[in-house]
Amino acid sequence: MSDRTATGEPPAAASQQPTTGTSESGCTDSSRVEIFQMLAWRWDITTAKKLTRGRTADGRIEPREWAGMLRLVSISREHAAQVDLSEPLIAATVPNGGMLIIDGWHRLYKALTTGVSELPAVVLTIEEELACRIHGGEKGEGYLR
């Protein structure tokens, strides 16, 4: 018996049911871990939401600046129609890559389609981003400097 799934993932990672390019699954099953994956990077959004719960937004995102990235993200129009635009997006600073939205793409899509020009955002600290990152990029001491 193999310790890998058909996709080559370890069984634990596969059971988390990563969602490529989206994090707002609309799932109400609290036993599932919400995952966001962008290319080879993957974050635990369940942990990111716990870390940022109750935090005041410390930034603003202009949806039109991110519109081109939507081609890389799977969006459910039905789900996007139901999201709350007052809930802050979660963004992370990634090494050598600048800022990346890791939670809130459906809100961004809704903002673009309804003419909302700004959305609130919470930016993870380096330590929080590392705590949420499952895969991708360096996690060594050089990143923390």
Side-chain angles (χ1 to χ4, degrees):
M1 177 177 264
S2 172
D3 63 345
R4 299 269 178 195
T5 65
T7 61
E9 301 259 346
S15 68
Q16 293 173 336
Q17 299 180 352
T19 313
T20 303
T22 186
S23 64
E24 295 175 286
S25 64
C27 176
T28 57
D29 178 358
S30 63
S31 67
R32 288 182 43 185
V33 174
E34 192 175 1
I35 301 293
F36 174 75
Q37 182 168 337
M38 178 65 73
L39 304 173
W41 295 65
R42 188 178 302 160
W43 290 269
D44 176 343
I45 301 307
T46 303
T47 297
K49 286 181 176 181
K50 286 177 186 173
L51 291 170
T52 60
R53 187 172 290 130
R55 189 184 300 176
T56 302
D58 51 5
R60 307 292 291 170
I61 299 282
E62 293 183 24
R64 63 178 159 60
E65 301 272 328
W66 291 83
M69 295 283 292
L70 280 170
R71 292 180 293 204
L72 302 173
V73 180
S74 176
I75 297 292
S76 161
R77 290 181 183 178
E78 295 80 23
H79 178 65
Q82 299 173 20
V83 297
D84 178 3
L85 294 182
S86 68
E87 180 184 347
L89 283 65
I90 301 175
T93 302
V94 293
N96 301 321
M99 190 71 60
L100 179 65
I101 297 167
I102 64 168
D103 180 62
W105 287 98
H106 283 87
R107 283 168 271 159
L108 187 113
Y109 175 84
K110 182 177 181 177
L112 282 167
T113 59
T114 60
V116 174
S117 61
E118 285 189 336
L119 293 172
V122 173
V123 180
L124 297 176
T125 66
I126 290 172
E127 293 79 15
E128 289 170 334
E129 187 275 327
L130 282 171
C132 298
R133 191 180 336 150
I134 297 169
H135 182 74
E138 295 293 323
K139 289 186 172 184
E141 290 182 36
Y143 174 58
L144 295 176
R145 291 189 187 138

